[in-house]
């Protein structure tokens, strides 16, 4: 006798609530159909469901996401970096207090030894016919951030060595929820043939029908839940083994919305507006935002960053502020609206010659017009870099493009060999946007504060 087992999953939703009622409608119908046919069915999430870019997640600190997942009766989830490093230790510790599902993460540890009650390393489900499915979760090891918040992420292979050997003795099928990225998933498949299914995320990769590596079937459903994933497993009870495994993803963007979920989202939005409606300041005059010119608000925010971090100088890109502030009462909702990014302040050390190269690169047309996605940035494009503690002298080529003539610190040109502390957005410590910043040997991150917390401080001290 053969038995079909279905696993539906979501990954990297990032609080894209415009899609959630469609996700809900699709999952409710699909799962109901499976259960009507007496097929075993499970619903999992691979992390980054929470993203404080959305007012609902910002106001509830992610607990509204948990409420919505409860309503869909998720069975198990793991955490992503957006749950792990954009909340304070206390807020992550209590994020899943009301969860009606298992939270599995084998490599997350509280540095004080006091782990939350909801945290499991592995969990096990059993079908009505007795097939045992082991679920293990892993999250990305951003320890430069986690350890500032009182957490530690242990090496993923160390965790797998420990728990996979245990699971092999007690379950029939092993499923890994991996918020590590596609390259890590492929390496895990090569090293751990006992893992049957790797459901991935973090790098937002879309594998429409999965990818087989060694003995593992790897799958993932992109980002923002434009797709929902499904894995179908076939267990042969006569042979007592897994004989078939298939992966699919379904585009749900044009599907019907679930009206009950729509009502929940409407109520959660109203609650968010009430929570974020607290007044920050009253502005006699509006404050302009311009992505390609220096504005008083952007200059003062950069000054606040320099002072608050006690750095020699600071630089921030104007694209961080998405909209102007009009005259009148300014609330936390307004601040979140114009600066929704989960970006932290950071201080790096750069030699004078490196800092000069960073400034030159940041003032090029290509840099300013770059439409960045990811690295915490939730805006449209990077925009012009604004500086504090530095005087940048520029000129223009005959074609009209700007270039840097010289940069002064305290009245003197930058010393090529002197080391300067530079405060900026942690965005620039990742990838290849500004290689000198990314390669800096010293990076001091400031958590749990976001740049919008400094924006509130700027408004209250510079514009009252």
């Amino acid at each position: 006798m053969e038995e079909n087992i279905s696993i539906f999953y979501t990954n990297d939703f990032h609080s894209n609530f415009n899609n959630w009622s469609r996700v809900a409608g699709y999952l409710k119908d699909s799962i109901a159909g499976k259960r009507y046919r007496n097929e075993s069915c499970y619903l999992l999430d691979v992390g980054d469901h929470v993203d404080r870019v959305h007012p609902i997640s910002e106001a509830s600190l992610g607990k509204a996401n948990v409420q919505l997942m409860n309503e869909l009766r998720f069975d198990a989830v793991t955490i992503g970096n957006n749950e792990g490093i954009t909340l304070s230790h206390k807020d992550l510790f209590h994020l899943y207090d009301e969860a009606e599902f298992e939270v599995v993460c084998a490599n997350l540890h509280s540095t004080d030894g006091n782990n939350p009650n909801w945290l499991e390393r592995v969990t096990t489900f059993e079908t009505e016919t007795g097939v045992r499915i082991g679920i293990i979760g892993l999250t990305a090891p951003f320890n430069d951030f986690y350890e500032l918040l009182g957490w530690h992420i242990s090496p993923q292979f160390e965790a797998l060595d420990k728990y996979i050997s245990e699971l092999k003795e007690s379950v029939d099928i092993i499923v890994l929820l991996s918020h590590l990225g596609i390259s890590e998933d492929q390496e895990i498949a090569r090293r751990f043939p006992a893992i049957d299914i790797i459901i991935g995320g973090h790098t937002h990769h879309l594998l429409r029908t999965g990818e087989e590596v060694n003995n593992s079937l790897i799958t993932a459903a992109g980002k923002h839940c434009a797709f929902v994933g499904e894995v179908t497993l076939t267990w042969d009870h006569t042979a007592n083994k897994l004989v078939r495994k298939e992966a699919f993803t379904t585009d749900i963007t044009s599907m019907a919305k679930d009206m009950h979920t729509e009502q929940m989202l409407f109520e959660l939005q109203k609650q968010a507006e009430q929570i974020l409606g607290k007044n920050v300041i009253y502005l006699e005059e509006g404050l302009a935002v311009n992505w390609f010119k220096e504005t008083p608000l952007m200059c003062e925010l950069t000054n606040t960053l320099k002072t608050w971090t006690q750095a020699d100088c600071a630089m921030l890109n104007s694209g961080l502020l998405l909209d102007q502030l009009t005259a009148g009462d300014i609330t936390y909702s307004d601040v979140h609206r114009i600066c929704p990014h989960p970006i932290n302040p950071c201080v790096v050390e750069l030699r004078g010659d490196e800092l000069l190269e960073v400034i030159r690169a940041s003032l090029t047309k290509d840099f300013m017009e770059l439409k960045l996605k990811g690295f915490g940035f939730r805006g449209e494009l990077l925009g012009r870099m604004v500086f504090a503690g530095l005087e940048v002298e520029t000129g223009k080529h005959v074609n009209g493009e700007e270039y840097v003539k010289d940069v002064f610190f305290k009245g003197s040109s930058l010393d090529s060999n002197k080391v300067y502390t530079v405060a900026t957005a942690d965005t620039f410590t990742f990838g290849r946007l500004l290689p000198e910043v990314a390669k800096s040997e010293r990076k001091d991150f400031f958590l749990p504060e976001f740049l919008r917390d400094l924006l509130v401080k700027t408004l209250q001290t510079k514009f009252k």
Side-chain angles (χ1 to χ4, degrees), residues 207-334:
L207 300 175
R208 293 298 304 268
T209 56
E211 173 185 295
E212 292 187 16
V213 176
N214 200 3
N215 188 53
S216 300
L217 178 62
I218 300 174
T219 186
K223 65 178 180 179
H224 294 165
C225 282
F227 291 83
V228 170
E230 179 182 357
V231 175
T232 301
L233 307 173
T234 303
W235 182 264
D236 188 321
H237 285 274
T238 302
N240 197 35
K241 67 178 182 178
L242 187 62
V243 294
R244 190 163 52 254
K245 43 194 176 183
E246 299 172 287
F248 314 91
T249 56
T250 301
D251 185 342
I252 57 85
T253 53
S254 60
M255 293 189 176
K257 294 182 176 182
D258 176 68
M259 288 301 103
H260 176 68
T261 303
E262 279 287 286
Q263 183 62 35
M264 285 187 68
L265 289 167
F266 177 76
E267 295 297 332
L268 290 169
Q269 183 67 37
K270 287 201 303 183
Q271 293 171 22
E273 289 170 359
Q274 184 175 7
I275 292 168
L276 298 177
K278 183 180 177 183
N279 195 61
V280 171
I281 191 174
Y282 179 85
L283 292 179
E284 294 287 348
E285 297 180 356
L287 293 172
V289 165
N290 189 312
W291 295 339
F292 298 106
K293 294 181 180 179
E294 293 187 0
T295 61
L297 181 56
M298 198 66 215
C299 289
E300 291 295 354
L301 175 59
T302 311
N303 282 325
T304 298
L305 175 64
K306 173 183 174 295
T307 302
W308 188 77
T309 59
Q310 299 182 339
D312 292 329
C313 56
M315 59 181 194
L316 288 174
N317 56 300
S318 295
L320 285 168
L321 301 185
L322 306 187
D323 199 3
Q324 65 181 348
L325 292 173
T326 57
D329 288 324
I330 302 300
T331 66
Y332 282 93
S333 180
D334 294 314

Side-chain angles (χ1 to χ4, degrees), residues 98-262:
E98 305 300 321
E100 297 168 6
F101 46 81
E102 302 294 327
V103 183
V104 289
C105 191
N107 61 339
L108 173 69
H109 313 270
S110 180
T111 53
D112 64 5
N114 180 29
N115 289 318
N117 293 331
W118 47 259
L119 180 59
E120 301 288 345
R121 304 305 176 192
V122 300
T123 193
T124 304
F125 300 122
E126 186 171 333
T127 71
E128 290 187 4
T129 60
V131 179
R132 297 159 299 174
I133 303 169
I135 310 290
I136 182 170
L138 292 170
T139 198
F142 290 140
N143 275 318
D144 285 345
F145 295 87
Y146 273 106
E147 293 185 354
L148 292 172
L149 294 166
W151 303 98
H152 175 72
I153 306 298
S154 58
Q156 54 266 38
F157 297 119
E158 176 184 296
L160 288 170
D161 281 332
K162 177 178 181 180
Y163 293 107
I164 294 299
S165 59
E166 294 178 9
L167 280 173
K168 283 195 299 185
E169 302 302 317
S170 60
V171 302
D172 302 303
I173 298 168
I174 297 177
V175 177
L176 170 63
L177 302 181
S178 168
H179 197 86
L180 295 171
I182 181 62
S183 297
E184 290 296 316
D185 293 350
Q186 292 165 338
E187 181 62 22
I188 288 169
R190 286 189 283 267
R191 293 196 192 191
F192 295 90
I195 299 175
D196 297 290
I197 304 293
I198 300 175
I199 305 177
H202 184 51
T203 47
H204 299 174
H205 50 291
L206 174 64
L207 300 175
R208 293 298 304 268
T209 56
E211 173 185 295
E212 292 187 16
V213 176
N214 200 3
N215 188 53
S216 300
L217 178 62
I218 300 174
T219 186
K223 65 178 180 179
H224 294 165
C225 282
F227 291 83
V228 170
E230 179 182 357
V231 175
T232 301
L233 307 173
T234 303
W235 182 264
D236 188 321
H237 285 274
T238 302
N240 197 35
K241 67 178 182 178
L242 187 62
V243 294
R244 190 163 52 254
K245 43 194 176 183
E246 299 172 287
F248 314 91
T249 56
T250 301
D251 185 342
I252 57 85
T253 53
S254 60
M255 293 189 176
K257 294 182 176 182
D258 176 68
M259 288 301 103
H260 176 68
T261 303
E262 279 287 286

Side-chain angles (χ1 to χ4, degrees), residues 8 23-35 37 256 258:
F8 291 92
V23 173
Y26 170 74
L27 286 172
K28 285 181 179 181
D29 289 347
S30 299
I31 292 171
K34 299 285 186 182
R35 289 177 176 161
R37 295 188 293 273
D258 176 68

Side-chain angles (χ1 to χ4, degrees), residues 46 51 83 227 255 292 340 399:
V46 193
D51 193 320
E83 287 89 7
F227 291 83
M255 293 189 176
F292 298 106
N399 63 2

